[in-house]
Amino acid sequence: MRTEKKQLLVIGNQPGFVSNLKENLSVYFEISCVNSMHSGYNLAVGLLPDIIFIDQTSLPPKSLKNISNFKSTHFLNKCWLVMYADDNFKQGIDKEYKESIDEIMYSSKTQSEIFSRIIQQVHSKSSITNYWKDSFLGLFNLLVNPVVLLQEDTIITMNDSFKESFKLNNLDVENLKLTDFVNCENKTKVRASLRNFAHGKHMKAVTTTALQLKDNKIRNAKISFCKLDKMLHGQFIMMIHFSDENAMIKEEVGSHSVNVENCFEENSNLAEFSFTKREKEIIKLLCKGYKTKEISDILFISPKTIEKHRANIVRRTNSDTILESIIYAISHNLIDLQHN
């Protein structure tokens, strides 16, 4: 079974510590290092690392003020954000940063203990090197074209169309290579081309070759490559384009559910409704700019009752705010603003 390296981003300015970290963790991680929070954030957004390790002991206190940006950024909120901090300032650091990061390791821990904890995270469910990749792979099966994710010439995963197009019955799916589907005379050429693309600077490439399908027919195909990211060494997506296939998206996707269809139909029928007399009165007064307390005085009902009516109006119109509900009511002619 292959084990893919995780991505570890280290933000700190202790060369000796970083050197030891690389020596102990390089088996498990592709390690990137920067010496400032600003550079670390910019790199993290592009790298999408599994673990972001911030060395508080070597960074200026002012630079840590925006640390919450990491977890509040959509593409980084699945990262494991850990801080290595000075034990002498434990109380203040806990108070300041505990809500912004996932774990704090203090300087009372030995480097060996720190490295062991990080390695433990490699095997935990919260390690997410594959999180975004797996999310993206969910789209693969919408494609008619065969698509694979490659590590140089090794197939990491494939979509349903690839499995349908190529003969896999007698092959070890765990150790498939793209060259398993290429004629013998082309294997060396294809392997070299993939290696050159993986190590090169270009993000995209297109080529043609002959491929062997599951019915043992040989078929020419245009192959498009695209690297996932400059920082993901040798990992890229490959899509196969056969000449007689133009459609890119399957027409029928997903399962058929009568219950779901009935639910949509019922909700559609419920769209026809009218406001109660009291709701219309409240909406008209809101349109005139009256506040809850003022409406309460005019209608001789409590402010709490007014708030309940407002909440019902928002809920019944499937709106987020009372303003949206008012717009909905006016646009659907559910109230008569001309009538006093």
Side-chain angles (χ1 to χ4, degrees), residues 11 13 18 37 47 75 102 116 128 154 173 181 204 207 212 218 222 273 278 305 336 338:
I11 306 174
N13 199 20
V18 172
M37 290 290 289
L47 184 62
F75 291 104
D102 297 308
S116 295
I128 53 95
T154 301
V173 178
F181 306 99
K204 294 185 291 184
T207 188
Q212 187 171 350
I218 304 299
K222 181 175 74 171
F273 72 94
R278 182 64 80 189
T305 302
D336 183 7
Q338 301 301 319

Side-chain angles (χ1 to χ4, degrees), residues 52-56 64 67 81-85 93 97 101 103-106:
I52 301 174
F53 185 92
I54 299 174
D55 180 8
Q56 175 268 339
L64 298 171
I67 197 170
L81 184 63
V82 58
M83 175 186 284
Y84 173 64
I93 288 172
Y97 302 114
I101 61 178
E103 187 169 330
I104 301 174
M105 300 182 190
Y106 285 99

Side-chain angles (χ1 to χ4, degrees), residues 9 26 33 45 55 59 165 199 249 285 329:
L9 172 61
S26 59
C33 303
V45 172
D55 180 8
L59 296 170
S165 299
H199 295 163
I249 304 295
L285 290 171

Side-chain angles (χ1 to χ4, degrees), residues 58-222:
S58 66
L59 296 170
K62 288 184 178 179
S63 69
L64 298 171
K65 65 181 180 179
N66 294 324
I67 197 170
S68 60
N69 289 346
F70 285 90
K71 298 299 281 188
S72 63
T73 300
H74 178 66
F75 291 104
L76 298 179
N77 60 18
K78 294 294 182 180
C79 297
W80 187 56
L81 184 63
V82 58
M83 175 186 284
Y84 173 64
D86 191 332
D87 199 56
N88 294 320
F89 304 103
K90 185 176 187 303
Q91 186 175 357
I93 288 172
D94 278 347
K95 182 179 179 181
E96 183 74 20
Y97 302 114
K98 198 168 185 180
E99 299 299 321
S100 302
I101 61 178
D102 297 308
E103 187 169 330
I104 301 174
M105 300 182 190
Y106 285 99
S107 54
S108 55
K109 286 184 176 290
T110 65
Q111 289 191 8
S112 178
E113 288 174 323
I114 293 170
F115 299 153
S116 295
R117 178 69 186 95
I118 294 175
I119 292 171
Q120 180 185 6
Q121 194 68 15
V122 171
H123 305 290
S124 76
K125 292 182 179 179
S126 52
S127 185
I128 53 95
T129 285
N130 295 326
Y131 177 81
W132 293 110
K133 184 190 76 178
D134 289 344
S135 299
F136 180 69
L137 292 180
L139 300 175
F140 273 24
N141 292 324
L142 298 179
L143 300 175
V144 169
N145 296 66
V147 183
V148 292
L149 183 67
L150 295 170
Q151 180 70 43
E152 298 196 2
D153 65 333
T154 301
I155 296 176
I156 297 174
T157 191
M158 65 195 80
N159 72 341
D160 288 347
S161 181
F162 189 94
K163 296 173 185 176
E164 292 168 3
S165 299
F166 296 91
K167 189 175 182 180
L168 304 175
N169 295 340
N170 299 322
L171 297 173
D172 180 4
V173 178
E174 285 293 319
N175 296 287
L176 280 178
K177 294 184 180 295
L178 182 63
T179 47
D180 291 331
F181 306 99
V182 176
N183 285 347
C184 292
E185 60 270 21
N186 289 336
K187 285 183 184 290
T188 302
K189 179 181 176 182
V190 169
R191 191 180 296 114
S193 298
L194 290 171
R195 186 169 56 250
N196 291 338
F197 175 67
H199 295 163
K201 296 181 180 180
H202 296 290
M203 290 295 292
K204 294 185 291 184
V206 178
T207 188
T208 57
T209 190
L211 298 174
Q212 187 171 350
L213 307 186
K214 65 179 181 181
D215 55 6
N216 292 322
K217 292 182 179 179
I218 304 299
R219 194 167 177 188
N220 290 324
K222 181 175 74 171

Side-chain angles (χ1 to χ4, degrees), residues 157-319:
T157 191
M158 65 195 80
N159 72 341
D160 288 347
S161 181
F162 189 94
K163 296 173 185 176
E164 292 168 3
S165 299
F166 296 91
K167 189 175 182 180
L168 304 175
N169 295 340
N170 299 322
L171 297 173
D172 180 4
V173 178
E174 285 293 319
N175 296 287
L176 280 178
K177 294 184 180 295
L178 182 63
T179 47
D180 291 331
F181 306 99
V182 176
N183 285 347
C184 292
E185 60 270 21
N186 289 336
K187 285 183 184 290
T188 302
K189 179 181 176 182
V190 169
R191 191 180 296 114
S193 298
L194 290 171
R195 186 169 56 250
N196 291 338
F197 175 67
H199 295 163
K201 296 181 180 180
H202 296 290
M203 290 295 292
K204 294 185 291 184
V206 178
T207 188
T208 57
T209 190
L211 298 174
Q212 187 171 350
L213 307 186
K214 65 179 181 181
D215 55 6
N216 292 322
K217 292 182 179 179
I218 304 299
R219 194 167 177 188
N220 290 324
K222 181 175 74 171
I223 301 177
S224 302
F225 302 101
C226 182
K227 291 181 180 177
L228 295 181
D229 192 276
K230 292 180 180 178
M231 301 299 295
L232 294 177
H233 305 298
Q235 198 168 105
F236 48 92
I237 292 171
M238 184 193 80
M239 179 180 287
I240 299 170
H241 304 262
F242 294 124
S243 59
D244 58 346
E245 290 183 355
N246 296 319
M248 294 294 292
I249 304 295
K250 290 183 177 179
E251 292 182 1
E252 296 181 0
V253 177
S255 59
H256 177 75
S257 171
V258 175
N259 290 337
V260 171
E261 289 183 359
N262 289 340
C263 179
F264 275 105
E265 185 176 351
E266 288 171 5
N267 282 327
S268 177
N269 293 335
L270 289 175
E272 296 296 329
F273 72 94
S274 61
F275 291 110
T276 65
K277 180 180 178 181
R278 182 64 80 189
E279 287 172 344
K280 289 180 180 180
E281 290 174 338
I282 291 172
I283 292 175
K284 289 178 182 179
L285 290 171
L286 287 170
C287 289
K288 294 179 180 180
Y290 288 97
K291 307 297 182 185
T292 297
K293 180 63 170 63
E294 295 169 329
I295 297 174
S296 171
D297 294 337
I298 294 171
L299 299 180
F300 302 103
I301 54 179
S302 71
K304 189 173 182 180
T305 302
I306 299 294
E307 291 300 329
K308 285 184 179 179
H309 281 299
R310 285 172 60 121
N312 287 334
I313 292 168
V314 170
R315 177 181 56 80
R316 293 180 65 206
T317 56
N318 293 314
S319 303

